Amino acid sequence: MTSTREAAPAAHSAADLRPYEAGRDAASPNRNLTPVTTGIDPEGRLVVGGCVLSDLARRYGTPLYVLDEATLRGTAQAYRKALASHYPGSALALYASKANSSLAITAVVASEGLGLDAVSAGELLTAVQGGMPPERIVFHGNNKSLEELRLAVELGVTVVADNWLDLEQLASLQPTHPVRLMLRFTPGIECHTHEYIRTGHLDSKFGFDPDQLQAVLQHLSQCSWAQVSGLHAHIGSQIFELQPHRDLAAVMADALKLAREMGHPVSDLNVGGGLGIRYVESDDPPSIDAWVRTVAEAVAVACQERGLELPRLLCEPGRSLVATSGVTLYSVGSRKDIPGIRTYLSVDGGMSDNPRPITYQSQYTAVLADRPEAEASDSVTLAGKHCESGDVLLKDLALPPATTGDVLAVFATGAYNASMASNYNRIPRPAAVMVHDGMAEVVQRREQPEDLLRYDVLPERLRPVA
Ligand code: LLP
């Protein structure tokens, strides 16, 4: 597959730009609304990665996912740096690729020295073809197919055993070399986030019940094909609190002690992901440094208290690693004023490219790409183009008067947008471009309407008679 790297028309160097977001935290992009390279050019237009956003919209069409490589790299480096400075042992951050799985993102993350968490054959293939070394990949899933497990074993990645069926199926594959296994269990920790993205409480479909851990470890002592290399737990996503992560460290250290006492030389403790990001001004997530420090110190202390040799510390950031590098561009279309009620401004995408508002009532921040600083004298509801009343991207958005054709930029869409996109209403998925130093490259081509018909089959007997 080839790609074209093009200098964006009207590319800008950082020197031409005024900073856009006041008080930006350069060291922790998850605390910002916009990519770290965001600026305003002399014409007052929004620029990301040296590219004028409205030019990208004209060149590549809308909706368009824009990914800022510098923000992505900076975030990966922030995780590495924090782990190196706060954890006394070795450590590795694994990118939870469910947040946004693509060859280009994998390649960037791999080149920054991170590992990766995959949950399906598709994510595994993307990881391997994107250049992630198999020894840095872990394979998750609460209902892995036999074929997926076979692929994981062939590739030599670490398998996260989630349930008894995983163990039975792995055994049935009769692996010829020991399979590195990580055991996932539900730690019984509650945290404050949306119900759908909470996973650590006991009533969860993921992982072994903690009461079963001993039996699982006992069983695995008899399995010559298995090498229990790690333990895993994950408490949820978009979490702003730090205390649940401290509590998790203690629960995991107890499990580590148990496993080692039972003769399993477990080396890895994987605390999952979950650090939140800023979607709207009022969000105030901890920094990457504060999160890693909390986790690292808590794990180190919990292990010391139990007299345990320090494990390698693994974590699995998804959202906090990619969300802020992403901006989605839309074109404004129709407008409907309902006097005394509201004004709908419709854009050319919606719940098919960003299902988060309709699924989790998530909030976002948006501006006009060419007039981000103009007086926001209008209040509009930003509607998508799908045949569903709930297809609303943003409610009561303060915006300067906008007209058809204006380009709208929605921030912090790098995580769980492209990866959760659908073809509802047979709408093709958007293209994605990666921007860097005034250059833009397509990293995911725009789907075409014909692509959507590729898997349809019209039986002979149903064909219209000429
Ligand atoms: N590790 C495991 C085992 C996970 O299940 C997840 C997320 C992560 C790591 C990464 O968590 P993060 O750092 O991104 O919070 N679609 C939802 C989020 C679902 C998260 C699922 N698991 C959303 O759009 O908010």
Side-chain angles (χ1 to χ4, degrees), residues 24-49:
R24 179 183 288 142
D25 182 349
S28 197
N30 71 311
R31 291 184 41 76
N32 305 333
L33 287 170
T34 64
V36 293
T37 59
T38 309
I40 306 279
D41 77 358
E43 285 93 84
R45 302 173 301 180
L46 211 52
V47 174
V48 172

Side-chain angles (χ1 to χ4, degrees), residues 79 94-99 117 119 140 184 194 196-197 199 206 232-234 236-239 270-276 279 315-321 356 360 362 364 415-417 419-420:
Y79 268 103
L94 311 166
Y95 166 49
S97 67
K98 71 206 79 185
D117 136 17
V119 298
H140 273 281
R184 177 170 186 173
H194 193 286
Y196 295 177
I197 53 180
T199 44
F206 298 105
H232 173 280
H234 169 78
S237 200
Q238 184 61 359
I239 302 172
N270 184 341
V271 297
L275 171 61
Y279 283 107
C315 60
E316 294 171 338
R319 186 192 317 269
S320 58
L321 200 55
R356 299 194 71 261
Y360 315 113
S362 314
Y364 283 87
Y416 303 115
N417 276 228
S419 62
M420 291 175 70

Side-chain angles (χ1 to χ4, degrees), residues 119 139-150 152-153 158-175 179 181-184 205-208 216 219-220 223 225-226:
V119 298
F139 182 49
H140 273 281
N142 66 306
N143 193 22
K144 306 173 188 80
S145 69
L146 188 62
E147 290 66 38
E148 286 175 321
L149 287 168
R150 196 190 311 276
V153 170
T158 299
V159 176
V160 182
D162 197 274
N163 51 57
W164 289 103
L165 183 61
D166 275 349
L167 301 180
E168 280 167 37
Q169 299 211 103
L170 282 169
S172 78
L173 291 171
Q174 301 185 316
V179 178
L181 280 189
M182 204 171 271
L183 298 186
R184 177 170 186 173
K205 69 173 178 170
F206 298 105
F208 288 99
V216 176
H219 170 79
L220 286 170
C223 301
W225 58 267

Side-chain angles (χ1 to χ4, degrees), residues 171-446:
S172 78
L173 291 171
Q174 301 185 316
T176 49
H177 55 85
V179 178
R180 280 174 64 85
L181 280 189
M182 204 171 271
L183 298 186
R184 177 170 186 173
F185 67 100
T186 35
I189 289 172
E190 300 278 344
C191 55
H192 296 110
T193 187
H194 193 286
E195 185 190 351
Y196 295 177
I197 53 180
R198 241 175 4 198
T199 44
H201 55 308
L202 290 172
D203 179 8
S204 161
K205 69 173 178 170
F206 298 105
F208 288 99
D209 189 89
D211 290 344
Q212 292 195 340
L213 207 51
Q214 189 160 2
V216 176
L217 288 162
Q218 218 144 28
H219 170 79
L220 286 170
S221 305
Q222 320 300 319
C223 301
S224 56
W225 58 267
Q227 180 205 340
V228 185
S229 65
L231 296 171
H232 173 280
H234 169 78
I235 55 178
S237 200
Q238 184 61 359
I239 302 172
F240 287 2
E241 306 155 278
L242 290 172
Q243 190 56 38
H245 298 284
R246 282 191 200 100
D247 299 343
L248 177 66
V251 173
M252 293 196 81
D254 282 339
L256 181 63
K257 187 159 188 276
L258 173 73
R260 287 191 180 161
E261 280 171 359
M262 291 179 69
H264 294 283
V266 175
S267 57
D268 293 347
L269 215 57
N270 184 341
V271 297
L275 171 61
I277 69 143
R278 173 166 275 151
Y279 283 107
V280 292
E281 200 58 52
S282 57
D283 287 337
D284 190 18
S287 66
I288 291 170
D289 189 74
W291 187 86
V292 169
R293 186 173 165 181
T294 302
V295 168
E297 287 180 356
V299 167
V301 167
C303 289
Q304 272 152 19
E305 282 172 358
R306 290 160 183 78
L308 295 168
E309 198 180 309
L310 275 190
R312 180 167 72 140
L313 175 61
L314 305 180
C315 60
E316 294 171 338
R319 186 192 317 269
S320 58
L321 200 55
V322 280
T324 317
S325 62
V327 178
T328 304
L329 303 180
Y330 299 98
S331 297
V332 171
S334 63
R335 180 186 180 103
K336 176 177 180 181
D337 287 302
I338 313 173
I341 299 185
R342 68 172 69 244
T343 296
Y344 285 101
L345 208 57
S346 291
V347 295
D348 51 356
M351 63 185 282
S352 62
D353 59 80
N354 184 358
R356 299 194 71 261
I358 198 166
T359 314
Y360 315 113
Q361 301 75 50
S362 314
Q363 293 185 300
Y364 283 87
T365 301
V367 296
L368 290 182
D370 281 345
R371 279 168 283 146
E373 295 178 316
E375 192 195 340
S377 52
D378 236 3
S379 173
V380 299
T381 287
L382 212 63
K385 65 176 278 159
H386 300 81
C387 292
E388 185 140 336
S389 302
D391 178 26
V392 161
L393 287 174
L394 266 117
K395 274 201 179 121
D396 305 323
L397 168 68
L399 215 58
T403 52
T404 307
D406 277 342
V407 175
L408 216 120
V410 179
F411 299 122
T413 56
Y416 303 115
N417 276 228
S419 62
M420 291 175 70
S422 75
N423 291 126
Y424 184 41
N425 294 151
R426 289 243 144 158
I427 291 181
R429 275 178 269 240
V433 295
M434 196 171 270
V435 293
H436 187 58
D437 280 346
M439 307 285 273
E441 284 162 291
V442 173
V443 293
Q444 259 160 348
R445 282 175 289 139
R446 183 177 300 283

